[in-house]
Amino acid sequence: MRPGGALHDRDPRVGAALDHAALYEASYQRERDLERQDQRRRDFMSELSHEIRTPLMSIQAFADLLRMDGTSLDAPADDLVSSLSFGVDRLNRLVSDLIDLGRSGGQEFEVHIGEVDVVEALRAAESLMRPAFLLRGQTVTSDTSATSVRAIADPHWLDQVILTVLSNANRHAPPASEIALRVLRTEDGCVRVEIRDHGTGIAREDRDRIFEPYYRARSADAESMPGAGIGLAVARRLIEAQGGRVWVEDCEDGAGARFCIDVRAVAEQA
Ligand SMILES: Nc1ncnc2c1ncn2[C@@H]1O[C@H](COP(=O)(O)OP(=O)(O)OP(=O)(O)O)[C@@H](O)[C@H]1O
Ligand SMILES: [Mg+2]
């Protein structure tokens, strides 16, 4: 039944006004419903994150305790505890990624832009990943002669993007392979981090899709390597929220993937 009944039928202007009012009421209700759903989703995400992180923190604490008393562990046991710590760290990061992905749109990332030394950021990320590279027998080389290259970025989110790409090189490139890192200034005023590995590489048709949430390329090693398929989707949102870019390109000398992360350079003093 139309709102306003007889009144509605008698005067077309009253009818139109009542129709508008009904439409407005319906859209207002829809908006309220969406807000309520959104709030429920946020509450769920924060409860989930708490529930997962609490046991992880105690596992991490046990691993730290075992390692603090370094003398009681022989070398194989020490390796096992290292990989346990690394696994916990990865799970923690996965939980953060899921939460970031659950947020609606880039505006919910708090972005704090400042000056960042990109060489230093890459070095720090590489040293955090060192146990993981060691475990897979991978060698990491760095072709960055500059001691410091400054950019305008969010230091925290930039670290996370670099770690995501490094962790993919570690997990998706074969054991005992080489991973090459480079920081350079581009002609169009950016600072670029390049992370190049010697794995299967990314097929041309997958080069954009791997940045979509939950997409995993169908290469043999992606199937054997567990993962959620969200690391790169989150990385792209994080880097774009600070005016940068992340993508993967061809390697001219054979197999492997070359991931590039661009952020705005600090203008060089004349
Ligand atoms: N260096 C790489 N070499 C080969 N394939 C890669 C590389 N990096 C990413 N990929 C492909 O891109 C897909 C998406 O990567 P993404 O980091 O988003 O997810 P993931 O590594 O599978 O899981 P997770 O979210 O746990 O990191 C991977 O599943 C893999 O198929
Ligand atoms: Mg990944």
Side-chain angles (χ1 to χ4, degrees), residues 224-239:
S224 61
M225 184 56 77
I230 57 176
L232 289 177
V234 173
R236 184 164 266 183
R237 281 192 199 180
L238 290 176
I239 206 77

Side-chain angles (χ1 to χ4, degrees), residues 61-255:
F62 281 125
D64 288 346
L65 269 174
L66 279 170
R67 296 178 86 192
M68 262 163 58
D69 184 17
T71 48
S72 65
L73 293 179
D74 56 14
D78 193 48
D79 278 353
L80 285 176
V81 175
S82 293
S83 64
L84 174 74
S85 282
F86 181 70
V88 172
D89 199 49
R90 228 193 110 57
L91 267 174
N92 261 324
R93 220 168 317 135
L94 188 65
V95 175
S96 310
D97 280 357
L98 274 169
I99 291 163
D100 293 344
L101 192 75
R103 292 177 178 156
S104 49
Q107 69 273 27
E108 273 194 58
F109 293 122
E110 273 196 38
V111 178
H112 301 283
I113 300 284
E115 272 198 29
V116 180
D117 180 349
V118 180
V119 173
E120 180 52 37
L122 183 59
R123 217 173 271 145
E126 189 261 322
S127 87
L128 213 92
M129 287 289 302
R130 204 163 291 151
F133 289 126
L134 268 175
L135 278 173
R136 282 175 69 79
Q138 291 162 321
T139 328
V140 180
T141 63
S142 174
D143 175 18
T144 305
S145 48
T147 48
S148 153
V149 181
R150 304 195 74 78
I152 308 287
D154 179 309
H156 176 69
W157 294 137
L158 180 63
D159 283 354
Q160 187 172 328
V161 173
I162 296 175
L163 275 172
T164 296
V165 178
L166 278 181
S167 148
N168 277 347
N170 168 241
R171 295 168 59 251
H172 297 295
S177 60
E178 188 193 303
I179 292 154
L181 313 179
R182 195 151 79 109
V183 176
L184 58 141
R185 275 175 168 273
T186 68
E187 280 172 8
D188 60 350
C190 287
V191 177
R192 178 168 305 163
V193 175
E194 274 186 10
I195 297 172
R196 194 245 195 271
D197 64 53
H198 291 79
T200 52
I202 316 280
R204 194 170 293 275
E205 62 273 18
D206 280 336
R207 282 190 199 149
D208 258 326
R209 299 204 64 193
I210 56 169
F211 292 93
E212 291 170 12
Y214 311 111
Y215 186 81
R216 308 192 72 215
R218 229 173 307 153
S219 60
D221 98 310
E223 265 153 36
S224 61
M225 184 56 77
I230 57 176
L232 289 177
V234 173
R236 184 164 266 183
R237 281 192 199 180
L238 290 176
I239 206 77
E240 288 180 354
Q242 48 189 300
R245 285 201 309 143
V246 55
W247 73 99
V248 62
E249 54 186 40
D250 275 333
C251 287
E252 53 293 313
D253 52 343

